[in-house]
Amino acid sequence: DAGVIQSPRHEVTEMGQEVTLRCKPISGHNSLFWYRQTMMRGLELLIYFNNNVPIDDSGMPEDRFSAKMPNASFSTLKIQPSEPRDSAVYFCASSLGGKAGLYNEQFFGPGTRLTVL
Amino acid sequence: AQTVTQSQPEMSVQEAETVTLSCTYDTSENNYYLFWYKQPPSRQMILVIRQEAYKQQNATENRFSVNFQKAAKSFSLKISDSQLGDTAMYFCAFMKHGANNLFFGTGTRLTVIP
């Protein structure tokens, strides 16, 4: 298995531009997570999906951020318009999810390093 | 809300020696999971070890073991026979039983010195 795939690995953009980060979860996994990692705040959960449905988006910082999961094999995180303070590493992770009470390991992608100038 | 605290921003250890990384957490939950993740310079997040709160026995994975003290809400990671490849950021994380989201500490940067 190729693992969780994220693209691009690096993105440099100018303030005000739209940024789209992409994630392909591990085949068969039905939970998908978007995390942001910064020096100041560490790793924070932004949003997660179960069976393509957003379950908890309380970590999304503001309306400039949106995430979609149109099907089981693809998700996007969009920032519009981008700001310098959005510069961070964005991780996607996936897990089998599923039955309550069972632990399912989250597998992380390699991350996208975003720099907003 | 759950909080995870790692009070050691940086640590170093001589190769082949043993090092312990500290983690404390705060929760009102009785059933949960605790994790240690490794993030090497490649940025990849790698699960090192997991502990279920209902298990009294400390988890071990080869050179990695934990000291889980539920009453004290402490979860330290011991790395024995440190190797150069252990150089990385280490994150402690918490997950409530039945939930899916992880809460991470701020990390400890470990350097193994040859």
Side-chain angles (χ1 to χ4, degrees):
Chain A
D1 198 319
V4 176
I5 299 173
Q6 290 187 248
S7 64
R9 290 296 306 275
H10 304 273
E11 176 80 26
V12 180
T13 190
E14 293 188 345
M15 182 174 63
Q17 296 298 306
E18 177 180 293
V19 175
T20 300
L21 311 182
R22 296 172 176 81
C23 176
K24 177 179 169 54
I26 293 173
S27 178
H29 283 189
N30 59 357
S31 290
L32 182 140
F33 308 82
W34 283 100
Y35 291 89
R36 179 173 66 176
Q37 184 178 30
T38 61
M39 290 293 291
M40 292 296 293
R41 299 174 67 90
L43 271 155
E44 303 171 285
L45 177 69
L46 300 178
I47 185 171
Y48 81 90
F49 296 83
N50 193 41
N51 292 322
N52 312 337
V53 176
I55 302 300
D56 182 356
D57 65 354
S58 59
M60 295 287 264
E62 48 197 278
D63 292 346
R64 297 184 298 106
F65 285 70
S66 63
K68 293 182 180 179
M69 192 164 186
N71 57 62
S73 59
F74 184 64
S75 177
T76 59
L77 178 67
K78 186 176 292 186
I79 309 172
Q80 167 63 20
S82 59
E83 296 182 4
R85 60 193 169 114
D86 301 331
S87 297
V89 179
Y90 291 81
F91 286 98
C92 177
S94 71
S95 75
L96 281 171
K99 297 179 182 179
L102 293 180
Y103 163 71
N104 292 286
E105 181 180 346
Q106 291 186 22
F107 294 83
F108 283 76
T112 295
R113 180 177 294 280
L114 173 65
T115 303
V116 183
L117 302 174
Chain B
Q2 281 68 229
T3 58
V4 179
T5 302
Q6 293 178 250
S7 58
Q8 305 152 313
E10 294 189 21
M11 293 191 72
S12 61
V13 62
Q14 290 290 139
E15 192 175 6
E17 297 296 308
T18 295
V19 64
T20 299
L21 309 183
S22 301
C23 173
T24 58
Y25 58 95
D26 187 23
T27 184
S28 57
E29 300 291 329
N30 186 53
N31 204 0
Y32 47 86
Y33 303 97
L34 295 163
F35 309 86
W36 280 97
Y37 279 85
K38 171 184 177 181
Q39 186 180 38
S42 67
R43 239 173 33 210
Q44 187 73 44
M45 292 289 287
I46 303 164
L47 179 63
V48 174
I49 198 165
R50 178 184 93 237
Q51 175 80 41
E52 289 91 344
Y54 65 86
K55 290 187 178 179
Q56 292 188 342
Q57 186 173 8
N58 289 323
T60 63
E61 287 287 342
N62 301 313
R63 298 182 296 107
F64 298 87
S65 62
V66 299
N67 183 5
F68 173 49
Q69 301 290 327
K70 191 172 184 179
K73 295 180 181 176
S74 170
F75 183 62
S76 61
L77 174 70
K78 185 172 82 171
I79 306 174
S80 304
D81 185 25
S82 298
Q83 301 176 0
L84 297 179
D86 296 334
T87 292
M89 284 287 290
Y90 286 83
F91 293 93
C92 180
F94 171 100
M95 179 190 290
K96 188 173 68 172
H97 183 74
N100 279 309
N101 44 327
L102 284 163
F103 294 89
F104 286 90
T106 51
T108 296
R109 182 177 302 280
L110 176 68
T111 302
V112 179
I113 302 166

